[in-house]
């Protein structure tokens, strides 16, 4: 089994959080997630998140602190998901490398079909609201 390290950004802005929908024809296609991606060689998790959020949504963020670490197995893929609280510092979101995105209230997160690894993160966000 392969283990991959993935970063995910919880970007809160005016009582809403940014969620993204994964593209068609990728792992977990069309599921909703906290945007981010795989750590590349030599990169810190913070650098990875800043890069991924620019690539996928065209936004500039500050990575603030770790919120949750999730270990999840999807068949033959084991992911370690590092979820960070982030602050938006520039840009307005565009669908550069995602299918869609939404700014949603924390109590609306339940309406979206999230990737399985995100379910504990969604419920923790709702608890700590
Ligand atoms: N970014 C992100 N990935 C997640 C979340 N939940 C979840 O199960 N994943 C999984 C889906 C994928 O198997 C893996 C992340 O891969 P990815 O496809 O986003 O990676 P990437 O952005 O670097 O894209 P690529 O270069 O591989 O195309 O983690 C989440 O909330 N955010
Ligand atoms: Mg990604």
């Amino acid at each position: 089994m392969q283990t991959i390290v993935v970063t995910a950004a919880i970007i809160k802005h005016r009582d809403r959080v940014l969620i993204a929908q994964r593209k068609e024809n990728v792992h977990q296609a069309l599921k909703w997630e906290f945007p981010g991606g795989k750590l590349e060689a030599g990169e810190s998790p913070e650098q990875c998140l800043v890069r991924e959020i620019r690539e996928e949504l065209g936004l500039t963020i500050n990575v603030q602190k770790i919120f949750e670490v999730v270990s999840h197995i999807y068949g033959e893929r084991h992911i370690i998901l590092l979820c960070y609280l982030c602050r938006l510092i520039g840009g307005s979101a565009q669908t550069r490398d995602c299918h869609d995105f939404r700014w949603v209230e924390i109590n609306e997160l339940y309406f979206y079909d999230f990737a399985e690894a995100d379910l504990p993160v969604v419920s923790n966000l709702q608890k700590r609201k």
Side-chain angles (χ1 to χ4, degrees):
M1 184 180 302
Q2 51 163 344
T3 298
I4 58 173
V5 179
V6 178
T7 61
I10 299 168
I11 308 169
K12 286 192 185 165
H13 190 62
R14 297 187 178 144
D15 290 331
R16 289 178 182 251
V17 62
L18 183 62
I19 61 172
Q21 188 176 29
R22 297 180 60 78
K23 293 191 294 188
E24 295 173 89
N25 311 314
V26 297
H27 182 241
Q28 298 293 303
L30 298 177
K31 293 279 187 177
W32 289 84
E33 67 172 9
F34 298 99
K38 299 177 192 114
L39 203 69
E40 291 182 356
E43 203 175 44
S44 70
E46 291 85 355
Q47 289 168 335
C48 173
L49 258 189
V50 169
R51 173 181 59 72
E52 290 282 354
I53 299 308
R54 193 166 289 147
E55 287 173 5
E56 295 183 355
L57 294 148
L59 294 176
T60 307
I61 57 163
N62 256 336
V63 181
Q64 299 195 289
K65 63 174 184 179
I66 190 80
F67 179 74
E68 190 162 3
V69 177
V70 180
S71 173
H72 188 83
I73 294 172
Y74 291 109
E76 278 303 297
R77 177 184 289 214
H78 174 213
I79 73 162
I80 302 288
L81 187 64
L82 307 176
C83 304
Y84 286 87
L85 294 175
C86 301
R87 209 165 56 87
L88 179 61
I89 55 176
S92 68
Q94 309 154 20
T95 51
R96 284 198 187 166
D97 194 26
C98 57
H99 186 78
D100 197 5
F101 67 83
R102 301 272 163 84
W103 285 102
V104 299
E105 289 177 23
I106 301 283
N107 49 27
E108 295 171 339
L109 289 172
Y110 272 136
F111 297 132
Y112 293 85
D113 184 22
F114 272 88
E116 237 180 81
D118 295 81
L119 299 181
V121 184
V122 169
S123 82
N124 261 328
L125 277 170
Q126 278 165 334
K127 268 186 237 153
R128 299 200 219 170
K129 193 162 90 94

